[in-house]
Amino acid sequence: MAGRRAAVKAIDWVAFAERVPPNQRAMFNSLKTRSDSIAAKLRSLPEKPATIDWSHYRSVVAKAGMVDEFEKKFAALTVPEPVDTQTANIDAQEQEAVSLSSYFS
């Protein structure tokens, strides 16, 4: 993780449930249950991962220099984060939907 969590918009489950046809209620309940379990798992993760105690590994690994090599490679490792290309499009669609909702009221 890059030290920050991705901002996630909250789902209005009540409004969503009002629009679900009765014959699809089981699928909706399954979706909500799965979404809640994933959200709970994400909330249980720490903001930053635990740091590695390299001195401990130096004391228990028999091969000299192996831990130093791993530490150097680990420090050089960078995991690229995907670039968000869709949020602007979604926000524009939401604004358009809000402006069009006045025609249907």
Side-chain angles (χ1 to χ4, degrees):
M1 279 179 134
R4 62 178 172 79
R5 293 183 188 247
V8 179
K9 293 185 178 183
I11 299 172
D12 186 0
W13 289 105
V14 175
F16 193 0
E18 291 171 354
R19 292 172 175 82
V20 175
N23 62 340
Q24 295 180 351
R25 184 69 60 186
M27 289 190 320
F28 169 76
N29 289 335
S30 174
L31 172 69
K32 183 169 181 336
T33 302
R34 186 164 182 204
S35 175
D36 290 344
S37 69
I38 291 171
K41 285 180 187 177
L42 287 174
R43 280 191 303 271
S44 71
L45 295 175
E47 182 69 26
K48 289 188 173 189
T51 58
I52 299 173
D53 183 12
W54 295 106
S55 61
H56 167 73
Y57 289 108
R58 282 187 191 90
S59 66
V60 295
V61 174
K63 187 174 180 183
M66 185 178 199
V67 176
D68 294 329
E69 181 182 342
F70 279 133
E71 183 178 13
K72 186 167 64 170
K73 287 181 180 180
F74 183 78
L77 178 68
T78 58
V79 179
E81 289 189 23
V83 178
D84 181 10
T85 59
Q86 297 301 315
T87 299
N89 294 339
I90 293 170
D91 291 340
Q93 288 177 0
E94 285 179 352
Q95 290 174 354
E96 182 182 356
V98 168
S99 67
L100 292 176
S101 67
S102 64
Y103 293 116
F104 299 108
S105 298

